[in-house]
Amino acid sequence: MILMFGILYFLIIRPQQTRAKQHREMVERVRRGDTVITSGGFVGRVTKVNEGSDDIEVELSDSLRIRVVKSTLMEVRTKGEPVKDAG
């Protein structure tokens, strides 16, 4: 029984905790000017970060700005970061 719990911990629980920690750190580092991708698939530039709140303002086009909850961000690209190669 202990062996099964150990296997489950190292294969399921621990990797999930590290991914959650990485996501939390990524969301905390969001700054104005970063390019973000939301869980809905929207790609935009951050125009306003509310420090006391859990939402940010994202510009999708010149005339369209939306408020997004930080926890729904899937990826954050900093200003100088190149696009990741899929291959």
Side-chain angles (χ1 to χ4, degrees):
M1 196 69 149
I2 294 172
L3 180 64
M4 282 179 45
F5 180 74
I7 292 171
L8 284 175
Y9 176 76
F10 283 107
L11 292 178
I12 297 173
I13 298 171
R14 189 166 179 219
Q16 184 178 8
Q17 288 175 343
T18 56
R19 280 193 304 270
K21 182 180 177 184
Q22 289 172 346
H23 184 263
R24 196 170 37 253
E25 291 172 354
M26 175 191 67
V27 166
E28 290 174 358
R29 290 191 311 257
V30 171
R31 298 289 176 247
R32 185 173 179 235
D34 291 346
T35 301
V36 295
I37 301 173
T38 66
S39 60
F42 293 115
V43 179
R45 192 178 72 235
V46 177
T47 57
K48 184 177 179 184
V49 178
N50 300 326
E51 291 299 326
S53 179
D54 64 340
D55 63 335
I56 59 175
E57 187 174 290
V58 177
E59 181 181 43
L60 299 178
S61 68
D62 292 334
S63 62
L64 181 62
R65 291 184 179 179
I66 59 171
R67 287 180 26 195
V68 177
V69 178
K70 287 182 183 179
S71 62
T72 62
L73 298 179
M74 296 299 292
E75 186 177 342
V76 176
R77 297 181 184 159
T78 59
K79 293 179 190 177
E81 185 179 336
V83 177
K84 295 179 183 176
D85 193 15

